[in-house]
Amino acid sequence: MSSENSSADDVQQVWDVVVVGAGPAGASAAYAAAVAGRRVLLLEKAELPRYKTCGGGIIGPSRDALPPGFELPLKDRVHAVTFSSNGRFTRTRRSRQMLFGLVNRPEFDQRLVEHAQKAGAELRTGVTVVRVEQHGSAVPDRRTVAVVLQDGETVLARAVVGADGSASRIGAHVGVKLDQVDLGLEAEIPVPETVAEDWRGRVLIDWGPMPGSYGWVFPKDDTLTVGVISARGEGAATKRYLEDFIARLGLAGFEPSVSSGHLTRCRADDSPLSRGRVLVCGDAAGMLEPWTREGISFALRSGRLAGEWAVRIAEAHDAVDARRQALNYAFAIKAGLGVEMAVGRRMLAAFERRPGLFHAALTGLRPAWKAFKEITQGATSLGELVRTRPLAQRALTAMDRRQEATAATAAEEAPEEDDTVTSQP
């Protein structure tokens, strides 16, 4: 690079990579790009630490995607899971080895950002990005992206990573398409020591009354994170489920310190992951497991990949090379996380129809419980399980066929008016 271009870059502060959003996906992307020695700017609209509606479960794939030397701020280590079906048929299963850990998201996210900063990334909080531009007067050349802030300031970058959550403005720029939207409601409930002790090391998963819904209790020291999730459009029923769930647990007398809601959004299969020199990852890309709606591991893994490929895009000297690197990023995502999402969709479709079958399998069949343990501990993934275990493959194929047969029968028998009846679990 000539000295003239260097001075121009210094004046305009052209960053190699700008990451929008400092959640797990953004912090992972910023870390990956910074540790490669690039000039990285991490933008966050909130002040950190900030609350996020999330159970805070850290499963094996999340743990394995953390930066080297990262110490998890665990509030509890889970060795037991109590399963129930809308409050009935309760059974607890235990594991000698830890299944997964539980964290408070504000503390966890803050530590991830600190790791990115230690690697060399610069953080700016209280900054809202309104749009990105890849053409026009704000863009000095074809190798540059303009990130326009709410106060009118323009930040220039060789590559941009959008990690700005499920209502992502960067995702809108890329053209992210969503095909599954769910509503999660959650309460953080401080409880007395006697109640906290009863939950220590144990979580509850309750298969809910609406198709595809479930609830959870995650203990964190003297607070229980209690939440439910269901398809969007069932807002009143989801709220009622949470209220009934809390009452059934005997927790209605305790005042929540936080009550919150959040929409989770799953990407469509053909949804783009890039546009020009802009990539998306995590919630901004609609990356999460469709059945459980687990998003932290998807955020960490897709964020790391986005950071690594953003470095390559930043180095690309023309649009053809940038496009090649962006396609390689998309391939890396689809080959790993995309396969897991595809299996998750099949699991959700089966679970919506037969939650009782899932409950019976997890509480009564050793192979099903073993698979649950291996997935949460990180020994395998949903995709790997179906690919390598003939029994799991046969079970999922059988559920697929039953789903297709039921759909075909329903289509033939459908009355002219919609008289849908939801079966109980």
Side-chain angles (χ1 to χ4, degrees):
M1 183 184 287
S2 71
S3 59
E4 183 182 333
N5 284 342
S6 292
S7 63
D9 271 9
D10 288 340
V11 169
Q12 298 181 60
Q13 187 77 3
V14 180
W15 299 86
D16 292 316
V17 178
V18 168
V19 181
V20 183
S28 294
Y31 174 85
V35 87
R38 299 304 180 272
R39 297 171 70 198
V40 179
L41 177 63
L42 178 57
L43 302 175
E44 168 58 43
K45 68 179 178 183
E47 296 298 339
L48 300 175
R50 49 96 178 95
Y51 183 78
K52 165 83 173 168
T53 306
C54 175
I58 303 295
I59 59 175
S62 299
R63 184 196 61 235
D64 295 342
L66 293 167
F70 186 95
E71 284 189 29
L72 276 166
L74 293 181
K75 295 300 177 185
D76 208 338
R77 292 168 168 80
V78 177
H79 285 82
V81 182
T82 298
F83 295 100
S84 62
S85 182
N86 201 19
R88 298 172 298 156
F89 314 117
T90 301
R91 183 173 178 190
T92 300
R93 304 210 67 161
R94 300 182 187 279
S95 168
R96 285 191 185 89
Q97 292 178 302
M98 184 178 87
L99 295 167
F100 56 96
L102 299 174
V103 298
N104 283 329
R105 280 292 302 277
E107 189 180 0
F108 175 68
D109 291 11
Q110 178 73 34
R111 286 204 188 180
L112 282 171
V113 168
E114 287 168 1
H115 267 257
Q117 288 176 286
K118 283 175 191 168
E122 185 172 315
L123 171 69
R124 285 179 62 184
T125 58
V127 176
T128 300
V129 172
V130 291
R131 66 184 182 279
V132 291
E133 295 179 6
Q134 302 197 61
H135 308 284
S137 58
V139 184
D141 58 59
R142 291 182 180 180
R143 284 190 61 210
T144 309
V145 182
V147 180
V148 183
L149 309 184
Q150 196 169 48
D151 63 3
E153 182 188 351
T154 297
V155 176
L156 300 179
R158 299 292 183 215
V160 170
V161 176
D164 49 335
S166 59
S168 169
R169 289 184 177 179
I170 312 301
H173 172 81
V174 165
V176 171
K177 293 188 283 185
L178 307 162
D179 70 355
Q180 177 188 328
V181 184
D182 296 288
L183 171 65
L185 299 177
E186 195 169 74
E188 301 284 351
I189 306 177
V191 293
E193 174 59 27
T194 50
V195 177
E197 185 58 37
D198 183 51
W199 286 97
R200 206 145 283 150
R202 176 175 69 96
V203 301
L204 169 64
I205 296 174
D206 178 73
W207 315 119
M210 296 89 75
S213 67
Y214 75 96
W216 62 88
V217 179
F218 285 0
K220 297 164 189 173
D221 291 340
D222 60 352
T223 298
L224 300 178
T225 298
V226 183
V228 300
I229 195 162
S230 184
R232 184 177 66 171
E234 296 278 357
T238 306
K239 187 168 183 288
R240 192 160 55 248
Y241 175 29
L242 179 60
E243 289 168 354
D244 293 346
F245 188 41
I246 289 172
R248 198 163 63 220
L249 293 165
L251 300 172
F254 303 114
E255 187 67 30
S257 58
V258 180
S259 293
S260 64
H262 178 67
L263 289 176
T264 64
R265 296 173 168 91
C266 250
R267 69 189 295 274
D269 262 342
D270 61 345
S271 179
L273 289 161
S274 68
R275 178 179 171 186
R277 291 176 174 269
V278 179
L279 305 177
V280 284
C281 61
D283 284 346
M287 301 291 305
L288 70 157
E289 199 280 289
W291 175 34
T292 62
R293 290 81 154 188
E294 190 277 323
I296 295 177
S297 78
F298 281 75
L300 292 168
R301 291 181 285 172
S302 66
R304 184 175 64 185
L305 287 170
E308 290 169 354
W309 289 105
V311 166
R312 295 173 172 89
I313 289 171
E315 293 168 348
H317 286 281
D318 56 44
V320 174
D321 192 20
R323 171 100 178 123
R324 185 185 301 119
Q325 303 304 340
L327 287 172
N328 286 338
Y329 166 66
F331 179 79
I333 288 287
K334 289 172 183 176
L337 297 176
V339 172
E340 289 182 38
M341 289 186 73
V343 175
R345 281 192 186 92
R346 293 166 68 190
M347 295 288 283
L348 176 64
F351 173 66
E352 285 175 336
R353 281 187 56 254
R354 301 289 297 276
L357 187 64
F358 278 75
H359 182 69
L362 281 166
T363 57
L365 298 179
R366 188 183 294 271
W369 171 242
K370 186 168 183 270
F372 178 91
K373 286 199 300 181
E374 289 180 354
I375 289 168
T376 57
Q377 290 169 339
T380 189
S381 67
L382 265 179
E384 190 73 9
L385 195 73
V386 172
R387 192 176 66 80
T388 59
R389 310 281 173 89
L391 182 63
Q393 208 169 58
R394 287 198 299 272
L396 196 52
T397 301
M399 288 190 287
D400 284 346
R401 285 179 182 149
R402 191 173 292 178
Q403 172 85 359
E404 288 165 8
T406 303
T409 304
E412 288 170 10
E413 297 176 354
E416 289 184 15
E417 293 183 14
D418 183 13
D419 292 323
T420 306
V421 176
T422 304
S423 60
Q424 291 302 307

